[in-house]
Amino acid sequence: MSDILIIGGGHNGLTCAHYLASAGLKVTILERRTVIGGAAVTEEFHPGFRNSVAAYTVSLLNPKVIRDMDLPRHGLKVVERKASNFLPLDGDYLVTGDGRTKAEVARFSQKDADQLDAYNHRLEVIADVLRDLVLQTPPDMVEGGLITALPELLKSATLGKRISSLDTTARRDLLALFSQSAGDWLDGWFESDPIKAVLGFDGIVGNYASPYAGGSAYVLLHHVFGEVNGNKGAWGHAIGGMGAITQAMGRACAEKGVEIRTGVGVAQVLTEGGRAVGVVTDTGETLRARAVVSNIHPRLLFQTLVDPAVLSPDFNERIERYRSGSGTFRMNVALSQLPSFTCLPQDGDHMTAGIIMAPSLAYMERAYIDARTHGWSKEPIVEMLIPSTLDDSLSPPGQHVASLFCQHVQPVLSGGRSWDDHREEVADLMIDTVDRWAPGFKASVLGRQVKSPMDLERDFGLVGGDIFHGALTIDQMFSARPVLGHGAHRAPLKGLYMCGAGTHPGGGVTGAPGHNAAREILKDARRRAF
């Protein structure tokens, strides 16, 4: 019998398993798919062409997790993009990163260029607060009496001390970034559309909302507190694709004695006397353990695996209301050649960047409204990465692979329609959108892999295609993720824990939820509390 059973072999489950096994516990991971990694996997999608299937770029993977799991020794190599972002425009363009941003922005507005240093500094101050909070366990603000509440109050005081150390300007910025829209935040800083489009894109990544929706400024902030090889705010590529991260994690886990069973789905969490005592697999096998840890979406855990009768009616109601659906349509394409953009046709560093095809915040807002009305944007938002410009292991010589991260589409189509009936139609639209900016792109496509929101849910358990396992809104963050009173990774059943992106600090390939959950599980193990 294992001490710990972990449901789901995604990167957070692997991270959690590594820490638990390092502490001497016997850990078994059960992964439904035939490969570990969850949404961070690399697959061949066309003969000779490999790419990251769902998650597709690196920045948020926590440096402590990388060090503790010694991922470079286990084969992980991450390289930084040569440019951060490339925004094609009609007759012009904007390229950011690598010391060029200010000069580029000055071509559109000298005033905006002069604002950049202050903007970046003030955003970085708040990003540093988030970095401090990422590996903290949120205080439980609901459960327990005086004795159990006291440690939580102390933790809250620690958090308050960190925030109180900020000056007045930073505190005001913190309030704005947690409550305002990305559009309002950026409109207060800049006047030109291109820089607002590049920065504002982070506010709608995986966020089915207008850039002028309240709370989208936090989504922007969530995407800037990462780093690559010590360079804060940078984005990079894992050589071999995102699967290289989870394969390295798998090797680190194996070294610690973790048993990883693939092709084993879980049908039920076993409960006895109000506590979790094991699982039943899809094949009917019963496995018992001292504790069960879920790395799957909260709604999948509590609505499909746990008997609702052992949970409170209010908790069941809150899980039913938990919002999940990011309006994401994901594609990989095999290319016979690099695309050539009308505004900047030659090859260069911009081809390694995130290529954002959405020229303004107004364009992004129209795309959202259009999707709400019709099911998908007639003029969608497309971010394209061409990782083969940095990693020649992904495609044959002289050819390339591209990731298309497309928005906005309805997570669940209205009017009784199914994504299975409209997948290829919308995929054609996404290809045509890129072809508008880079004529000839469509003709260069040799093959493609298409993942609608329905596919992302079926394949990876991303309910509503939500890449974050739930909306990053103030009522679904920190102590309230996934439900207020259970933000400290403990489910409302003894012996059942949560380590996935549906817990603090949320989505992205960070490893932080797995790290934090392991710490809380080990605390309970030392107290013999499970």
Short mmCIF file of all heavy atoms in Angstrom, two decimals, residues 423-465:
data_model
loop_
_atom_site.label_atom_id
_atom_site.label_comp_id
_atom_site.label_asym_id
_atom_site.label_seq_id
_atom_site.Cartn_x
_atom_site.Cartn_y
_atom_site.Cartn_z
N ARG A 423 -15.09 22.46 -35.71
CA ARG A 423 -13.66 22.52 -35.45
C ARG A 423 -12.87 22.93 -36.70
O ARG A 423 -12.04 23.85 -36.66
CB ARG A 423 -13.17 21.17 -34.92
CG ARG A 423 -11.68 21.11 -34.63
CD ARG A 423 -11.21 19.71 -34.36
NE ARG A 423 -11.89 19.08 -33.23
CZ ARG A 423 -12.80 18.13 -33.35
NH1 ARG A 423 -13.16 17.69 -34.56
NH2 ARG A 423 -13.37 17.61 -32.29
N GLU A 424 -13.07 22.24 -37.80
CA GLU A 424 -12.25 22.49 -38.99
C GLU A 424 -12.58 23.83 -39.63
O GLU A 424 -11.70 24.51 -40.17
CB GLU A 424 -12.43 21.35 -40.00
CG GLU A 424 -12.00 19.98 -39.47
CD GLU A 424 -10.57 19.97 -38.95
OE1 GLU A 424 -9.69 20.60 -39.59
OE2 GLU A 424 -10.32 19.35 -37.89
N GLU A 425 -13.84 24.23 -39.57
CA GLU A 425 -14.24 25.55 -40.08
C GLU A 425 -13.50 26.67 -39.36
O GLU A 425 -12.98 27.60 -39.98
CB GLU A 425 -15.76 25.69 -39.91
CG GLU A 425 -16.31 27.06 -40.27
CD GLU A 425 -17.79 27.20 -39.90
OE1 GLU A 425 -18.41 26.21 -39.45
OE2 GLU A 425 -18.32 28.32 -40.07
N VAL A 426 -13.44 26.57 -38.03
CA VAL A 426 -12.77 27.60 -37.25
C VAL A 426 -11.25 27.50 -37.44
O VAL A 426 -10.56 28.52 -37.50
CB VAL A 426 -13.16 27.50 -35.77
CG1 VAL A 426 -12.38 28.49 -34.92
CG2 VAL A 426 -14.67 27.77 -35.62
N ALA A 427 -10.72 26.29 -37.57
CA ALA A 427 -9.29 26.13 -37.84
C ALA A 427 -8.91 26.81 -39.15
O ALA A 427 -7.86 27.46 -39.25
CB ALA A 427 -8.92 24.65 -37.88
N ASP A 428 -9.76 26.68 -40.18
CA ASP A 428 -9.50 27.37 -41.45
C ASP A 428 -9.46 28.88 -41.25
O ASP A 428 -8.62 29.58 -41.84
CB ASP A 428 -10.60 27.03 -42.47
CG ASP A 428 -10.52 25.59 -42.97
OD1 ASP A 428 -9.45 24.97 -42.83
OD2 ASP A 428 -11.54 25.11 -43.51
N LEU A 429 -10.36 29.39 -40.42
CA LEU A 429 -10.39 30.83 -40.13
C LEU A 429 -9.10 31.28 -39.47
O LEU A 429 -8.56 32.35 -39.81
CB LEU A 429 -11.59 31.14 -39.23
CG LEU A 429 -11.66 32.56 -38.65
CD1 LEU A 429 -11.81 33.59 -39.77
CD2 LEU A 429 -12.81 32.68 -37.65
N MET A 430 -8.57 30.48 -38.55
CA MET A 430 -7.33 30.85 -37.88
C MET A 430 -6.16 30.88 -38.87
O MET A 430 -5.32 31.79 -38.82
CB MET A 430 -7.05 29.87 -36.74
CG MET A 430 -8.14 29.80 -35.67
SD MET A 430 -8.55 31.43 -34.96
CE MET A 430 -9.90 30.97 -33.84
N ILE A 431 -6.10 29.91 -39.75
CA ILE A 431 -5.05 29.89 -40.77
C ILE A 431 -5.19 31.11 -41.68
O ILE A 431 -4.20 31.78 -42.02
CB ILE A 431 -5.11 28.60 -41.60
CG1 ILE A 431 -4.84 27.37 -40.72
CG2 ILE A 431 -4.15 28.66 -42.77
CD1 ILE A 431 -3.44 27.27 -40.21
N ASP A 432 -6.42 31.42 -42.08
CA ASP A 432 -6.65 32.59 -42.94
C ASP A 432 -6.26 33.89 -42.24
O ASP A 432 -5.78 34.84 -42.89
CB ASP A 432 -8.13 32.66 -43.34
CG ASP A 432 -8.53 31.58 -44.33
OD1 ASP A 432 -7.63 31.01 -45.00
OD2 ASP A 432 -9.74 31.30 -44.44
N THR A 433 -6.46 33.95 -40.92
CA THR A 433 -6.08 35.15 -40.17
C THR A 433 -4.58 35.38 -40.22
O THR A 433 -4.12 36.50 -40.43
CB THR A 433 -6.55 35.01 -38.71
OG1 THR A 433 -7.98 34.88 -38.68
CG2 THR A 433 -6.15 36.22 -37.88
N VAL A 434 -3.80 34.31 -40.04
CA VAL A 434 -2.35 34.45 -40.15
C VAL A 434 -1.96 34.82 -41.57
O VAL A 434 -1.08 35.66 -41.80
CB VAL A 434 -1.64 33.14 -39.71
CG1 VAL A 434 -0.12 33.30 -39.84
CG2 VAL A 434 -2.01 32.78 -38.29
N ASP A 435 -2.64 34.21 -42.54
CA ASP A 435 -2.31 34.47 -43.95
C ASP A 435 -2.55 35.93 -44.33
O ASP A 435 -1.88 36.47 -45.22
CB ASP A 435 -3.15 33.55 -44.84
CG ASP A 435 -2.59 33.41 -46.25
OD1 ASP A 435 -1.56 32.73 -46.41
OD2 ASP A 435 -3.17 34.02 -47.18
N ARG A 436 -3.47 36.57 -43.64
CA ARG A 436 -3.71 37.99 -43.92
C ARG A 436 -2.46 38.82 -43.62
O ARG A 436 -2.10 39.74 -44.36
CB ARG A 436 -4.87 38.50 -43.05
CG ARG A 436 -5.11 40.00 -43.22
CD ARG A 436 -5.90 40.61 -42.08
NE ARG A 436 -5.69 42.05 -42.07
CZ ARG A 436 -6.04 42.84 -41.06
NH1 ARG A 436 -6.60 42.34 -39.99
NH2 ARG A 436 -5.80 44.14 -41.11
N TRP A 437 -1.75 38.49 -42.54
CA TRP A 437 -0.56 39.22 -42.16
C TRP A 437 0.70 38.69 -42.84
O TRP A 437 1.67 39.44 -43.03
CB TRP A 437 -0.37 39.15 -40.64
CG TRP A 437 -1.50 39.75 -39.87
CD1 TRP A 437 -2.52 39.10 -39.25
CD2 TRP A 437 -1.75 41.15 -39.66
NE1 TRP A 437 -3.39 39.99 -38.67
CE2 TRP A 437 -2.93 41.26 -38.90
CE3 TRP A 437 -1.08 42.32 -40.05
CZ2 TRP A 437 -3.47 42.49 -38.52
CZ3 TRP A 437 -1.61 43.55 -39.65
CH2 TRP A 437 -2.78 43.62 -38.90
N ALA A 438 0.66 37.41 -43.19
CA ALA A 438 1.83 36.76 -43.82
C ALA A 438 1.35 35.98 -45.03
O ALA A 438 1.16 34.76 -44.97
CB ALA A 438 2.53 35.84 -42.82
N PRO A 439 1.11 36.65 -46.16
CA PRO A 439 0.60 35.97 -47.35
C PRO A 439 1.51 34.81 -47.76
O PRO A 439 2.73 34.92 -47.74
CB PRO A 439 0.62 37.08 -48.42
CG PRO A 439 0.50 38.36 -47.62
CD PRO A 439 1.27 38.11 -46.36
N GLY A 440 0.88 33.69 -48.09
CA GLY A 440 1.62 32.48 -48.41
C GLY A 440 1.70 31.50 -47.25
O GLY A 440 2.09 30.35 -47.44
N PHE A 441 1.31 31.96 -46.07
CA PHE A 441 1.34 31.07 -44.91
C PHE A 441 0.44 29.86 -45.13
O PHE A 441 0.85 28.71 -44.88
CB PHE A 441 0.90 31.84 -43.66
CG PHE A 441 0.82 30.99 -42.41
CD1 PHE A 441 1.96 30.70 -41.68
CD2 PHE A 441 -0.40 30.46 -41.98
CE1 PHE A 441 1.89 29.91 -40.54
CE2 PHE A 441 -0.48 29.68 -40.84
CZ PHE A 441 0.68 29.40 -40.12
N LYS A 442 -0.77 30.11 -45.60
CA LYS A 442 -1.72 29.01 -45.80
C LYS A 442 -1.16 27.97 -46.75
O LYS A 442 -1.29 26.75 -46.50
CB LYS A 442 -3.04 29.58 -46.32
CG LYS A 442 -4.15 28.57 -46.49
CD LYS A 442 -5.44 29.28 -46.91
CE LYS A 442 -6.59 28.29 -47.03
NZ LYS A 442 -7.86 29.00 -47.39
N ALA A 443 -0.52 28.41 -47.81
CA ALA A 443 0.03 27.48 -48.80
C ALA A 443 1.19 26.67 -48.25
O ALA A 443 1.51 25.59 -48.77
CB ALA A 443 0.46 28.24 -50.05
N SER A 444 1.85 27.19 -47.18
CA SER A 444 3.02 26.50 -46.62
C SER A 444 2.65 25.44 -45.58
O SER A 444 3.52 24.71 -45.11
CB SER A 444 3.97 27.52 -45.97
OG SER A 444 3.44 28.01 -44.75
N VAL A 445 1.36 25.35 -45.23
CA VAL A 445 0.94 24.41 -44.20
C VAL A 445 0.90 22.99 -44.77
O VAL A 445 0.14 22.69 -45.70
CB VAL A 445 -0.44 24.79 -43.63
CG1 VAL A 445 -0.94 23.72 -42.66
CG2 VAL A 445 -0.37 26.15 -42.94
N LEU A 446 1.72 22.11 -44.19
CA LEU A 446 1.80 20.72 -44.62
C LEU A 446 0.86 19.81 -43.82
O LEU A 446 0.46 18.75 -44.29
CB LEU A 446 3.23 20.21 -44.45
CG LEU A 446 4.33 21.00 -45.19
CD1 LEU A 446 5.70 20.49 -44.78
CD2 LEU A 446 4.13 20.89 -46.69
N GLY A 447 0.56 20.22 -42.61
CA GLY A 447 -0.32 19.43 -41.75
C GLY A 447 -0.66 20.24 -40.52
O GLY A 447 0.02 21.23 -40.20
N ARG A 448 -1.71 19.84 -39.83
CA ARG A 448 -2.11 20.61 -38.65
C ARG A 448 -2.76 19.71 -37.61
O ARG A 448 -3.32 18.65 -37.92
CB ARG A 448 -3.05 21.75 -39.04
CG ARG A 448 -4.44 21.31 -39.50
CD ARG A 448 -5.19 22.49 -40.11
NE ARG A 448 -6.61 22.20 -40.30
CZ ARG A 448 -7.45 23.00 -40.95
NH1 ARG A 448 -7.01 24.15 -41.48
NH2 ARG A 448 -8.74 22.67 -41.08
N GLN A 449 -2.68 20.16 -36.39
CA GLN A 449 -3.33 19.53 -35.24
C GLN A 449 -4.24 20.58 -34.63
O GLN A 449 -3.80 21.70 -34.35
CB GLN A 449 -2.29 19.06 -34.23
CG GLN A 449 -2.84 18.42 -32.97
CD GLN A 449 -1.75 18.11 -31.98
OE1 GLN A 449 -0.93 18.97 -31.65
NE2 GLN A 449 -1.70 16.88 -31.49
N VAL A 450 -5.50 20.23 -34.40
CA VAL A 450 -6.49 21.21 -33.97
C VAL A 450 -7.11 20.75 -32.65
O VAL A 450 -7.55 19.61 -32.52
CB VAL A 450 -7.60 21.38 -35.03
CG1 VAL A 450 -8.59 22.46 -34.59
CG2 VAL A 450 -7.00 21.73 -36.39
N LYS A 451 -7.14 21.65 -31.67
CA LYS A 451 -7.74 21.37 -30.37
C LYS A 451 -8.74 22.48 -30.04
O LYS A 451 -8.37 23.60 -29.69
CB LYS A 451 -6.67 21.32 -29.27
CG LYS A 451 -5.61 20.23 -29.47
CD LYS A 451 -6.14 18.84 -29.22
CE LYS A 451 -5.04 17.80 -29.30
NZ LYS A 451 -5.58 16.42 -29.17
N SER A 452 -10.02 22.15 -30.17
CA SER A 452 -11.08 23.06 -29.74
C SER A 452 -11.18 23.02 -28.22
O SER A 452 -10.57 22.16 -27.57
CB SER A 452 -12.41 22.63 -30.35
OG SER A 452 -12.86 21.43 -29.72
N PRO A 453 -11.97 23.91 -27.61
CA PRO A 453 -12.16 23.81 -26.17
C PRO A 453 -12.67 22.44 -25.74
O PRO A 453 -12.27 21.91 -24.69
CB PRO A 453 -13.19 24.91 -25.87
CG PRO A 453 -12.95 25.93 -26.94
CD PRO A 453 -12.61 25.13 -28.16
N MET A 454 -13.54 21.84 -26.55
CA MET A 454 -14.05 20.50 -26.22
C MET A 454 -12.92 19.47 -26.25
O MET A 454 -12.84 18.59 -25.40
CB MET A 454 -15.15 20.11 -27.21
CG MET A 454 -15.75 18.73 -26.95
SD MET A 454 -17.05 18.30 -28.13
CE MET A 454 -18.35 19.41 -27.57
N ASP A 455 -12.01 19.58 -27.23
CA ASP A 455 -10.87 18.67 -27.31
C ASP A 455 -9.95 18.83 -26.11
O ASP A 455 -9.45 17.84 -25.55
CB ASP A 455 -10.09 18.90 -28.60
CG ASP A 455 -10.89 18.61 -29.85
OD1 ASP A 455 -11.58 17.58 -29.88
OD2 ASP A 455 -10.84 19.43 -30.79
N LEU A 456 -9.71 20.08 -25.72
CA LEU A 456 -8.84 20.33 -24.57
C LEU A 456 -9.44 19.74 -23.30
O LEU A 456 -8.71 19.25 -22.43
CB LEU A 456 -8.60 21.84 -24.41
CG LEU A 456 -7.78 22.50 -25.51
CD1 LEU A 456 -7.80 24.03 -25.37
CD2 LEU A 456 -6.34 22.01 -25.51
N GLU A 457 -10.76 19.77 -23.20
CA GLU A 457 -11.42 19.18 -22.03
C GLU A 457 -11.32 17.66 -22.08
O GLU A 457 -10.98 17.01 -21.09
CB GLU A 457 -12.87 19.62 -21.96
CG GLU A 457 -13.61 19.00 -20.79
CD GLU A 457 -14.96 19.64 -20.51
OE1 GLU A 457 -15.19 20.79 -20.94
OE2 GLU A 457 -15.78 18.99 -19.83
N ARG A 458 -11.62 17.07 -23.23
CA ARG A 458 -11.60 15.61 -23.34
C ARG A 458 -10.19 15.05 -23.18
O ARG A 458 -9.98 14.03 -22.53
CB ARG A 458 -12.17 15.19 -24.69
CG ARG A 458 -13.68 15.27 -24.78
CD ARG A 458 -14.21 14.65 -26.05
NE ARG A 458 -13.77 15.34 -27.25
CZ ARG A 458 -14.56 15.60 -28.30
NH1 ARG A 458 -15.83 15.22 -28.28
NH2 ARG A 458 -14.10 16.22 -29.35
N ASP A 459 -9.22 15.71 -23.81
CA ASP A 459 -7.86 15.17 -23.84
C ASP A 459 -7.09 15.42 -22.54
O ASP A 459 -6.32 14.57 -22.08
CB ASP A 459 -7.07 15.75 -25.01
CG ASP A 459 -7.63 15.32 -26.36
OD1 ASP A 459 -8.50 14.42 -26.39
OD2 ASP A 459 -7.20 15.89 -27.38
N PHE A 460 -7.28 16.62 -21.96
CA PHE A 460 -6.44 17.03 -20.83
C PHE A 460 -7.22 17.38 -19.56
O PHE A 460 -6.62 17.82 -18.58
CB PHE A 460 -5.57 18.23 -21.23
CG PHE A 460 -4.73 17.97 -22.45
CD1 PHE A 460 -4.99 18.63 -23.64
CD2 PHE A 460 -3.68 17.06 -22.41
CE1 PHE A 460 -4.22 18.39 -24.77
CE2 PHE A 460 -2.91 16.82 -23.53
CZ PHE A 460 -3.18 17.48 -24.72
N GLY A 461 -8.54 17.23 -19.60
CA GLY A 461 -9.32 17.55 -18.40
C GLY A 461 -9.42 19.04 -18.14
O GLY A 461 -9.70 19.44 -17.00
N LEU A 462 -9.22 19.88 -19.16
CA LEU A 462 -9.34 21.33 -19.01
C LEU A 462 -10.80 21.72 -19.23
O LEU A 462 -11.23 21.93 -20.37
CB LEU A 462 -8.42 22.05 -20.00
CG LEU A 462 -6.94 21.68 -19.93
CD1 LEU A 462 -6.15 22.40 -21.03
CD2 LEU A 462 -6.36 22.01 -18.56
N VAL A 463 -11.57 21.78 -18.18
CA VAL A 463 -13.00 22.00 -18.29
C VAL A 463 -13.27 23.33 -19.00
O VAL A 463 -12.75 24.38 -18.61
CB VAL A 463 -13.66 21.99 -16.89
CG1 VAL A 463 -15.15 22.33 -16.99
CG2 VAL A 463 -13.47 20.62 -16.24
N GLY A 464 -14.07 23.27 -20.07
CA GLY A 464 -14.32 24.46 -20.87
C GLY A 464 -13.08 24.93 -21.61
O GLY A 464 -13.03 26.08 -22.04
N GLY A 465 -12.10 24.04 -21.76
CA GLY A 465 -10.85 24.42 -22.42
C GLY A 465 -10.03 25.40 -21.61
O GLY A 465 -9.15 26.08 -22.15
#
